[in-house]
């Protein structure tokens, strides 16, 4: 067995004893609460019995603590995902998803200085929704201006470019599927 695991298990007994004494509970009272025999509780606290999940669960419940506290598990750290923005060509792209494949979501902030249209093509499908500002979208031979609340979806194999439609920055949400996945919007009538 791993030495680290061995030391963690060895520390459980003394921790259980200290917790019981701190709460001023007798082995008899704890046995009645948990359904674990007095002798098993005594051997657990003395380190003569290995702690198991079947023993630790009722003890954690009786003490009103997480099992982590009984085994002194290391802290797991910050569970939040911190996705880093990418700044490129007058545009800040903030990823909103973090998974390989499938549709990816981004929030884009496009500066007003991004005004040199150079249409590009690539594999995929894109859906964009304007949050604020005016978005200029060149799509093939179409020159479109979209305002807040407007959306566009297109095959990215069609030559395209987008930027600010005026002298102000524009914010958009973008869903992009590299393999050509489309955003499927379903509307249901209200009865």
């Amino acid at each position: 067995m791993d030495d680290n695991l061995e030391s963690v298990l060895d520390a459980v007994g003394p921790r259980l004893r200290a917790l019981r004494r701190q709460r001023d509970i007798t082995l008899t009272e704890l046995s009645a609460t948990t359904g674990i025999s007095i002798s098993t509780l005594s051997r657990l606290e003395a380190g003569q019995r290995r702690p198991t999940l079947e023993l630790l669960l009722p003890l954690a419940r009786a003490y009103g603590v997480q099992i982590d506290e009984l085994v002194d598990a290391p802290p797991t750290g910050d569970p939040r995902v911190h996705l880093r923005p990418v700044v490129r060509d007058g545009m800040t792209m903030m990823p909103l998803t973090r998974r390989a494949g499938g549709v990816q979501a981004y929030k884009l902030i496009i500066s007003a200085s991004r005004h040199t249209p150079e249409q590009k093509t690539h594999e995929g499908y894109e859906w964009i929704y304007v949050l604020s500002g005016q978005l200029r979208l060149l799509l093939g031979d179409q020159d479109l201006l979209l305002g807040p609340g407007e959306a566009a979806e297109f095959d990215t194999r069609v030559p395209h470019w987008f930027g600010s439609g005026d002298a102000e920055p524009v914010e958009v949400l973008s869903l992009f599927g590299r393999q050509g996945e489309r955003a499927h919007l379903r509307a249901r009538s209200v009865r």
Side-chain angles (χ1 to χ4, degrees), residues 5-106:
L5 179 61
E6 191 72 35
S7 65
V8 167
L9 291 175
D10 289 344
V12 171
R15 194 170 294 106
L16 288 171
R17 177 177 284 132
L19 190 56
R20 183 177 57 78
R21 288 181 176 166
Q22 177 187 2
R23 307 245 171 138
D24 198 27
I25 300 172
T26 66
L27 284 174
T28 305
E29 293 168 331
L30 188 58
S31 175
T33 303
T34 61
I36 301 170
S37 72
I38 295 171
S39 65
T40 299
L41 289 170
S42 177
R43 289 192 335 244
L44 261 176
E45 288 183 0
Q48 298 169 348
R49 168 111 192 225
R50 278 261 178 245
T52 64
L53 192 56
E54 290 81 13
L55 295 171
L56 293 177
L57 278 172
L59 288 169
R61 249 185 252 116
Y63 290 131
V65 298
Q66 299 289 323
I67 288 182
D68 293 3
E69 289 183 51
L70 299 181
V71 297
D72 195 29
T76 57
D78 189 347
R80 295 173 294 180
V81 175
H82 298 282
L83 301 172
R84 306 270 184 248
V86 175
V87 179
R88 187 178 323 143
D89 190 28
M91 183 167 34
T92 302
M93 297 183 294
M94 290 171 273
L96 301 175
T97 53
R98 189 173 113 167
R99 62 184 177 97
V103 176
Q104 302 294 314
Y106 300 92

Side-chain angles (χ1 to χ4, degrees), residues 103 125-129 149-153 175 181-188:
V103 176
Y125 203 85
E126 188 155 7
W127 179 88
I128 44 181
Y129 176 84
E150 292 186 297
E153 63 175 316
L175 297 178
E181 300 93 344
R182 295 179 66 165
H184 296 285
L185 303 176
R186 291 181 173 81
R188 185 180 307 162

